Amino acid sequence: MSQPPVGTRVLIVEDDTIIAMTAEDMLDECGCKTAAIAVSVAEALARAADTDFDIALLDLNLKDENSLPVAQHLRDAGKRFIFATGYDGLPADSGFADAPVISKPYRIEQLATVIAQTLSD
C-alpha cells in the first residue's frame, strides 16, 4: 500500500455524514489531516477559497447537484482532487476522463494509495 505524505491536508466534499466521518477516520489512520468538510457545491467552493489543503476528495453526486463545478474550479486553481462515486465512473461528457476516481465503498488501503499516487503525479 502506498502512503500519502504524513500531514497531507484533505478537503472532503461529501453530503453523507456517515461517509464523511468514515473518510475522516480513514484519512487520520493513514496520516492525513482533514482540512474541512463541505456538503454542497457552494460550501465546497467557499472552503476551496478559504482553506489550506493539498488534495480534495469529491463525492461526485451531492444530493441534487454534482461536484463537477468544484472539480473545474480546483483544476483551474492547480489543485489536485479525486472523485469518489458509488456509480460506474464519471459521466462520459464530464470533461474529467483523466481524473482519478475511487469507487465507493472504498477501503483505507485504496484511499491511501490513490491519494499518494495523485500527489506524486
Side-chain angles (χ1 to χ4, degrees):
M1 163 174 85
S2 298
Q3 287 288 338
V6 172
T8 296
R9 298 161 301 174
V10 182
L11 168 62
I12 300 172
V13 179
E14 172 62 64
D15 62 339
D16 183 303
T17 304
I18 299 298
I19 294 173
M21 290 171 53
T22 301
E24 194 170 17
D25 289 345
M26 287 181 182
L27 291 168
D28 187 52
E29 262 190 71
C30 63
C32 296
K33 296 181 180 188
T34 300
I37 298 174
V39 299
S40 67
V41 169
E43 189 178 4
L45 292 172
R47 295 300 72 79
D50 67 14
T51 305
D52 288 329
F53 62 96
D54 303 300
I55 193 166
L57 179 62
L58 307 176
D59 178 14
L60 178 61
N61 292 305
L62 303 167
K63 297 211 186 317
D64 59 349
E65 55 187 354
N66 66 50
S67 62
L68 295 176
V70 180
Q72 188 61 57
H73 174 80
L74 296 175
R75 179 181 277 173
D76 292 346
K79 289 284 198 173
R80 297 194 175 157
F81 58 89
I82 299 160
F83 283 108
T85 182
Y87 299 99
D88 191 24
L90 302 176
D93 61 350
S94 70
F96 292 96
D98 59 336
V101 178
I102 189 169
S103 295
K104 291 179 180 180
Y106 46 81
R107 296 185 323 273
I108 186 171
E109 298 84 9
Q110 295 168 304
L111 185 60
T113 298
V114 74
I115 290 172
Q117 289 173 343
T118 303
L119 289 174
S120 68
D121 287 346

